[in-house]
Amino acid sequence: MVVEVIDVPWAGVPVWIRWHKRRWICREHTCQIATFTEQNHSVCAPRACLGVRVIRWAIRQLRFEGATIAGLARQLATTWNTVWSPIKLCLQAASDDPARFAGVRVLGVDEHVWHHVSEFPIEDGGCGPKQLTGMVDLTPDPDTGRPQARLLDLVPGRSGKTYSDWLEERGEDFKDGVEVATLDPFHGYNNAIDDQLEDAVAVLDAFHVVKLGTQAVDEDRRRVQQEIHGHRGRKNDPLYGIRTILRCGQEKLTDRQRARLDRAIAADQRHDEILVAWLCAQKLRSAYRAKSPAQGRRIADDLIRSLPTCPIPESKRLGKTLKQWRDAFLAYFDTGRPNNGGTEAINELHQRVARGSRNRDHYRPRMLLIGGGLTHPHLR
């Protein structure tokens, strides 16, 4: 028998292997199988159209080169389903391996939007929830000491129950190994950590805390703009002209930008509160830029005590939020300064790889592959 198996393309030209397979016939009447053909699993799986080598090549193209299934199908001169079916089996086998969850000591969590179509249930032909909750391994590398973000899983929905159910499925061995759990200021995830990770320390992500401070300054600027002028910012309004400067770090301002800021604040006495709110946000930012964790913790403690009594409503609200999250906020300075940056990086990866995907069963294994969450002989 002559069987054609798709192989790795050469110089942009599709390649097929012609395998002359031998067929045997058993003359014994007691044998349950009368005829059978030659098998070689190093070439291809039984009844497969794609060879083992091309499957390994296609998986590497997906992981490292940003390829799409449709693009691979064009290079191999075959159909989308022919390419995806064996790849999906490999990725599914790797995702079902419980060993990939071993050794997680720092766990990050965040949500992202993976589609923007109407939110209908999957059983009704829809894509399900628009948001997925992603769990990321942020354990530092033993050689470099830097966290290597590795996507562990994607589950539909954004709620404390979604995160709690996933942790419950991992079992006690996994939960006992988690020492630090990073998160953004969302009480649902925090409740799940309190319920399922009793021995882990919840740490509020530095990026989101600084973002809250910048947001308070922006809201204060808009409110003052409305109170003084009765309309939103316009081109020649002093406050509108410094809106981007107020979002910058104090140490990054040039002399020209600093002069523009001073002129805008001096233009009206009522602008002084914006300067105060900006300085509060800069002090919050300085806590994370402190030379030592002890110094940063002192700055953070001072903000928790002073901001809730600030006469500026936006800064006062920021202070109440920090006070409410006090333990998770200060834990950053007591646990080696972990952060959720790797999780945010994985989220950016989601947005680039989604490519309009509408099927979560296809989207999830591809993201686990590209996010480094799978271990399999074909994935090395």
Side-chain angles (χ1 to χ4, degrees):
M1 297 176 58
V2 178
V3 177
E4 289 191 348
V5 179
I6 299 174
D7 197 27
V8 179
W10 181 84
V13 179
V15 175
W16 288 266
I17 294 177
R18 287 183 175 178
W19 180 11
H20 293 257
K21 299 179 68 172
R22 290 169 289 186
R23 177 183 290 174
W24 289 281
I25 298 176
C26 184
R27 300 294 187 181
E28 296 290 338
H29 296 291
T30 57
C31 185
Q32 296 180 356
I33 302 176
T35 177
F36 52 94
T37 57
E38 180 182 10
Q39 301 293 335
N40 189 334
H41 294 281
S42 63
V43 177
C44 69
R47 301 179 182 274
C49 296
L50 266 64
V52 172
R53 184 165 58 180
V54 73
I55 293 175
R56 184 181 296 112
W57 170 83
I59 288 176
R60 291 184 64 85
Q61 291 292 310
L62 289 175
R63 182 176 183 183
F64 299 111
E65 305 300 333
T68 63
I69 301 298
L72 295 176
R74 286 193 299 270
Q75 294 183 65
L76 299 175
T78 186
T79 63
W80 192 95
N81 286 325
T82 301
V83 175
W84 174 245
S85 296
I87 292 177
K88 183 180 179 181
L89 292 177
C90 291
L91 300 186
Q92 187 62 47
S95 66
D96 292 340
D97 185 6
R100 67 188 188 90
F101 296 107
V104 178
R105 294 187 291 106
V106 182
L107 180 64
V109 62
D110 202 3
E111 79 288 342
H112 77 280
V113 177
W114 77 288
H115 72 84
H116 298 274
V117 299
S118 299
E119 189 168 324
F120 292 113
I122 297 177
E123 54 271 15
D124 294 339
C127 303
K130 294 183 179 181
Q131 290 181 318
L132 296 179
T133 295
M135 280 61 66
V136 179
D137 178 15
L138 300 174
T139 305
D141 184 87
D143 297 328
T144 63
R146 297 179 179 179
Q148 303 293 322
R150 183 171 65 94
L151 180 63
L152 296 176
D153 211 345
L154 288 171
V155 291
R158 177 187 183 263
S159 65
K161 186 177 186 305
T162 298
Y163 191 26
S164 180
D165 290 345
W166 184 85
L167 291 171
E168 184 68 26
E169 292 175 2
R170 300 285 72 78
E172 295 300 325
D173 291 340
F174 174 83
K175 294 190 289 184
D176 291 342
V178 178
E179 301 172 359
V180 176
T182 62
L183 74 161
D184 57 3
F186 176 51
H187 284 288
Y189 293 156
N190 190 47
N191 293 337
I193 293 173
D194 291 340
D195 293 340
Q196 299 295 334
L197 302 176
E198 299 178 357
D199 298 330
V201 179
V203 178
L204 206 58
D205 180 45
F207 168 79
H208 287 90
V209 175
V210 173
K211 182 180 177 182
L212 288 176
T214 305
Q215 183 179 346
V217 177
D218 205 35
E219 292 175 353
D220 182 33
R221 178 189 62 80
R222 295 179 182 182
R223 177 179 57 81
V224 173
Q225 171 76 30
Q226 286 285 351
E227 291 176 354
I228 296 176
H229 303 284
H231 57 72
R232 296 175 60 184
R234 296 176 181 173
K235 181 177 180 180
N236 296 324
D237 293 337
L239 295 182
Y240 185 76
I242 61 170
R243 66 192 186 283
T244 56
I245 296 178
L246 294 174
R247 297 170 188 155
C248 293
Q250 187 173 10
E251 74 285 352
K252 294 183 178 181
L253 294 182
T254 63
D255 294 339
R256 183 179 178 182
Q257 289 174 321
R258 186 70 199 199
R260 287 180 58 193
L261 177 63
D262 292 340
R263 286 197 301 269
I265 297 300
D268 194 308
Q269 187 176 1
R270 290 169 290 184
H271 294 176
D272 290 343
E273 68 172 274
I274 298 174
L275 178 62
V276 174
W278 183 71
L279 292 175
C280 291
Q282 294 303 312
K283 186 175 182 179
L284 176 61
R285 193 170 181 271
S286 68
Y288 292 105
R289 295 177 56 83
K291 294 182 179 179
S292 66
Q295 182 182 0
R297 198 182 199 283
R298 286 194 296 270
I299 298 174
D301 262 327
D302 184 55
L303 287 170
I304 293 174
R305 288 193 303 268
S306 60
L307 281 184
T309 60
C310 182
I312 302 173
E314 292 78 11
S315 298
K316 182 177 182 179
R317 184 166 60 248
L318 172 63
K320 290 182 177 180
T321 300
L322 295 179
K323 186 176 181 179
Q324 190 177 21
W325 288 89
R326 184 180 189 279
D327 294 339
F329 177 37
L330 297 179
Y332 173 87
F333 306 99
D334 302 328
T335 54
R337 294 180 172 181
N339 64 79
N340 220 21
T343 309
E344 297 295 333
I346 292 292
N347 278 343
E348 293 297 325
L349 186 63
H350 289 314
Q351 297 177 11
R352 295 197 299 270
V353 175
R355 299 180 185 274
S357 178
R358 296 292 181 267
N359 189 325
R360 194 177 68 87
D361 292 336
H362 297 167
Y363 176 69
R364 176 180 174 271
R366 284 195 60 193
M367 282 310 312
L368 291 178
L369 169 67
I370 299 173
L374 301 182
T375 55
H376 191 276
H378 287 335
L379 312 183
R380 296 171 184 171

